[in-house]
Amino acid sequence: MREVVLVYLDRSGGLQKFVHDCKKYNDSKQSYAVYRFIISINPSDIAELDATLGNYILHNPLQAAQIFQSVCFVAIKTLSLIEQLQTEAQISILLKPTHLPPLPSYVLSLSAYPFNYTSQRFYMSEGIVIAMGTVTKYTQGARFLCTEETCPFSEGRFRCIRVHCPGATESATVRTDFVCSLCSSPLQEDMKFRVLGDKQIVEMIDAKILNALKGYSIDKSHFRIQAFTLFLR
C-alpha cells in the first residue's frame, strides 16, 4: 500500500505540494516538535489504483494516515527536505477527502435512530449553524523530556512527543502527569517546541428543521430539535 500511496501522490500533484510544504518548514527559523501536513485525497481515484487502500482510507482513516506518514517520512529523509526532522513520529498527517461515496451509510444524521456511529471514519453532515465561538488556540504537538538526568530520554531528542489526534481532548496532548516509558520518572514539557493551531466551536442543528419552520406538521403533534457541537480545527 505504501507504493500505491507514492504513485497516487505523484499522479495527483500531492507530492509536489508536500515538497513545497516541507520547504516552508525547512526555511522557517522556528523549531517544531511536530510537522503537520494536510493531504487532499480522492477516494475514487485511490480505489481505482488499489481497492484495499481505498476501502482502508474510507473506513480506517486514522490507520491509513499512518501509511501516508511512513511514505512522507521516507520522502523527507531521501530528498533531505527537512533537516531538523529526526523521527517519523514527528510527522502528523491529516487526510482530507475531496468527497465521499453518495451512500446513506456515509451521511451523519443525528435525527435518525439508532445512532450507530461508533467507528472513527469519515461522515458527511449537513446542518444550519446557529452559534459560533471565538477562535482559540490548541496544542497540535509538544515535546517532553525526562526529569531524570541519567535517563537517555532526558536528552534533547524527540523521543517523547505528543501529537493531537482527531477526537482527542486537550488533556490527551498536554498534561503534567506524563511519565517516562523508560524509567517512569515524570516528564516535563519543553515549551519552546510546542506547536499551536486554531480551533473554533460551532453549534449546528439538523437541516430538517427547515421543514418545521415552514409549518409542515406531517401529522406529528410533537417534535424536538437538538443542536450538536462541532470542533473545527
Side-chain angles (χ1 to χ4, degrees):
M1 285 194 286
R2 291 181 176 85
E3 295 180 1
V4 178
V5 168
L6 185 59
V7 171
Y8 173 75
L9 291 177
D10 186 33
R11 293 182 180 179
S12 64
L15 187 59
Q16 183 179 0
K17 180 182 180 299
F18 175 74
V19 172
H20 177 71
D21 293 341
C22 288
K23 187 177 185 302
K24 291 193 297 183
Y25 277 124
N26 197 44
D27 295 341
S28 176
K29 296 181 180 180
Q30 182 179 351
S31 300
Y32 294 91
V34 176
Y35 298 88
R36 189 169 182 261
F37 300 94
I38 300 177
I39 298 180
S40 296
I41 55 174
N42 187 320
S44 300
D45 292 345
I46 294 181
E48 290 182 2
L49 288 175
D50 187 276
T52 302
L53 178 60
N55 184 71
Y56 203 55
I57 290 174
L58 288 174
H59 298 93
N60 298 281
L62 298 182
Q63 290 76 13
Q66 295 178 358
I67 301 177
F68 281 79
Q69 178 188 32
S70 178
V71 172
C72 292
F73 177 74
V74 174
I76 291 174
K77 285 301 184 182
T78 303
L79 303 176
S80 301
L81 299 176
I82 302 178
E83 297 179 359
Q84 305 92 333
L85 181 69
Q86 296 183 14
T87 65
E88 182 177 323
Q90 287 181 261
I91 301 177
S92 176
I93 299 295
L94 177 62
L95 299 180
K96 185 178 180 181
T98 57
H99 66 281
L100 292 178
L103 300 172
S105 60
Y106 291 95
V107 177
L108 176 65
S109 176
L110 297 182
S111 64
Y113 185 85
F115 307 128
N116 293 325
Y117 302 114
T118 57
S119 63
Q120 294 181 329
R121 65 174 178 87
F122 292 117
Y123 291 98
M124 295 180 292
S125 181
E126 185 179 36
I128 303 171
V129 176
I130 60 175
M132 298 177 64
T134 58
V135 177
T136 58
K137 296 294 183 181
Y138 78 101
T139 303
Q140 292 181 349
R143 181 178 83 160
F144 293 82
L145 297 175
C146 183
T147 54
E148 175 58 50
E149 296 182 356
T150 59
C151 178
F153 287 4
S154 65
E155 301 174 358
R157 294 183 61 85
F158 295 88
R159 294 174 174 173
C160 301
I161 63 174
R162 304 288 298 184
V163 181
H164 177 269
C165 294
T169 60
E170 184 79 3
S171 61
T173 309
V174 179
R175 286 206 310 266
T176 58
D177 59 349
F178 291 131
V179 295
C180 178
S181 60
L182 190 62
C183 67
S184 299
S185 298
L187 293 177
Q188 184 176 10
E189 182 185 357
D190 190 350
M191 293 297 298
K192 65 178 178 291
F193 285 96
R194 177 181 287 196
V195 181
L196 299 178
D198 294 332
K199 73 174 180 180
Q200 188 174 22
I201 299 177
V202 175
E203 289 286 331
M204 293 183 63
I205 55 177
D206 196 283
K208 293 181 179 179
I209 185 61
L210 290 177
N211 293 332
L213 296 177
K214 291 178 181 178
Y216 295 160
S217 62
I218 319 177
D219 297 329
K220 292 183 178 180
S221 58
H222 301 284
F223 62 90
R224 180 173 181 265
I225 300 296
Q226 180 171 332
F228 56 95
T229 304
L230 294 179
F231 287 82
L232 306 181
R233 298 183 183 271

